Amino acid sequence: MPTATALLFCRDPLRPAACDPQFAAEAAAARDAGAAVALLDHDALLAGRADEAVRRVPPGLGPVRYRGWMIPAPRYADLATALDRRGARLRTTPEMYRTAHELPGWYAGFASVTPPTAYVPCAPHAVPSPAGLAALAAVLPAGPGIVKDYVKSRKHEWDEACHVPDLADTAALHRVVTRFAALQSDDLAGGIVLRAFEPFDRAVGEARVWWLNGAPLLVTAHPDTPALRPEPALDAFRPLVAALPCRFVTTDLARRADTGVWRLVELGDAQVTGLPAGADPAPLITALTTD
C-alpha cells in the first residue's frame, strides 16, 4: 500500500507549535483526513537556515507536500535538501517547483493561450537600460503592456509600477520598470518581464483551476474576487498542463472582454497558491494526502 503523503505547513511566528492562521483550516482538514502534519519555520528558511527551519519535522516523515507562503526557488532547493536529511521527500522537486513558479519555466508551453511575453534576467537593483527595454518591448505587439518579474507583479500599484499605456514609449516604460524594481527591492525574482496587455471581463472575474497529475481537481474563485465564480472552458488548457513536467499546479484564467476567449493570466506551483476566503479545503487536502 502506498505511503500517505504528509502535509508541511508554515508555523505561526508568534506561536511556534501552532500552524500559521492562514493555513489552519487546511491543517485541520489534513488531520481530519488522518494525514501527518508538520510545521516549517518560513522565516528561518528565507534567512538561509534550512536545517533550523525544519527542526520540528518528525524524522522519517516520508513523502510530503508543502502548503504555505511563497518560497524563492533557491530556498526551496535548500528546503528539499534539509528535508531529505530528515527522511522526508518533497513530492514537488526543486526542478518542478522552479518550472511552475517562475514564468520562464512554463511560458513557452503556454504561449498560444497567454498574452505575448518577453523577459530578461535581471538582478535586484539592476534595472535594464532604456535601450535594452526598448529592444525587449519591440518583440511584443504594439500597444499597452504590464511589467512584472518572474513571479509577481505590482498590480496594486497599477499606474506607477505595473501598467505601461504604450510599450513604444521608452521613457514611460523605463520609468515604470524602475519603480517596479525599486518596490520589489531584494525580492525581485529572476528578471524583468513585459507582457502585452489584454482586456479581460472584470464582471466575470478570474477562475483559479487546481490541477493534480495533469487533470483539473478544483475550480475556485480567485482570492482577489472571492464572490465571483466563473466556469472557464478548459479544453485548450488540458493538453498543455498535462505536458508540463509538474504534477501540482494552478492556472488563473480570465475571459477576454472583446473575443470571449479564455486566457491564461498566470500559472503557479499550487503548493504556494492560496485558496479564496470561505473555500472548503477538504477536497484539496484529501486529494493531496491520498495521491
Side-chain angles (χ1 to χ4, degrees):
M1 182 175 179
T3 302
T5 299
L7 272 294
L8 177 65
F9 295 97
C10 293
R11 74 173 196 179
D12 185 338
L14 301 179
R15 297 182 302 152
C19 183
D20 187 301
Q22 184 69 28
F23 307 99
E26 294 185 34
R31 292 188 179 100
D32 288 345
V37 170
L39 297 179
L40 167 74
D41 185 338
H42 187 259
D43 291 338
L45 179 64
L46 296 194
R49 305 191 304 272
D51 287 323
E52 176 185 336
V54 301
R55 67 180 179 180
R56 290 181 177 271
V57 175
L61 192 62
V64 62
R65 274 202 171 94
Y66 171 66
R67 284 290 296 153
W69 302 114
M70 283 189 180
I71 302 172
R75 297 285 80 79
Y76 186 89
D78 293 343
L79 173 62
T81 299
L83 287 172
D84 185 66
R85 283 197 282 263
R86 295 187 69 83
R89 175 179 54 84
L90 283 165
R91 294 289 304 275
T92 295
T93 67
E95 294 75 20
M96 292 176 184
Y97 181 78
R98 186 183 287 273
T99 295
H101 187 57
E102 296 185 348
L103 180 142
W106 59 260
Y107 174 70
F110 291 80
S112 63
V113 295
T114 198
T117 299
Y119 52 87
V120 62
C122 176
H125 312 290
V127 177
S129 68
L133 290 173
L136 194 65
V139 305
L140 300 178
I146 65 165
V147 174
K148 65 187 297 291
D149 63 20
Y150 286 4
V151 176
K152 297 182 70 175
S153 70
R154 306 284 308 194
K155 62 184 178 183
H156 298 299
E157 293 97 1
W158 182 255
D159 291 324
E160 63 172 316
C162 185
H163 183 247
V164 182
D166 183 0
L167 288 170
D169 184 343
T170 302
L173 174 59
H174 188 258
R175 182 172 61 252
V176 172
V177 170
T178 299
R179 182 59 176 156
F180 169 79
L183 291 172
Q184 288 295 88
S185 189
D186 292 338
D187 293 329
L188 189 143
I192 295 297
V193 175
L194 304 182
R195 307 199 79 192
F197 175 81
E198 295 187 359
F200 297 129
D201 191 336
R202 294 188 177 184
V204 172
E206 289 185 29
R208 176 159 286 177
V209 186
W210 303 72
W211 305 79
L212 184 62
N213 298 323
L217 173 64
L218 295 173
V219 179
T220 69
H222 190 280
D224 290 348
T225 53
L228 299 176
R229 296 288 301 272
E231 297 182 3
L234 299 180
D235 289 350
F237 303 99
R238 290 175 186 269
L240 305 182
V241 174
L244 194 69
C246 308
R247 299 296 87 196
F248 183 40
V249 301
T250 52
T251 53
D252 291 345
L253 307 179
R255 193 174 71 181
R256 282 194 61 137
D258 50 356
T259 65
V261 174
W262 285 93
R263 301 283 280 168
L264 174 67
V265 179
E266 198 71 62
L267 187 144
D269 182 273
Q271 295 181 116
V272 296
T273 305
L275 282 168
D280 180 6
L284 174 66
I285 296 301
T286 298
L288 292 182
T289 57
T290 57
D291 171 47

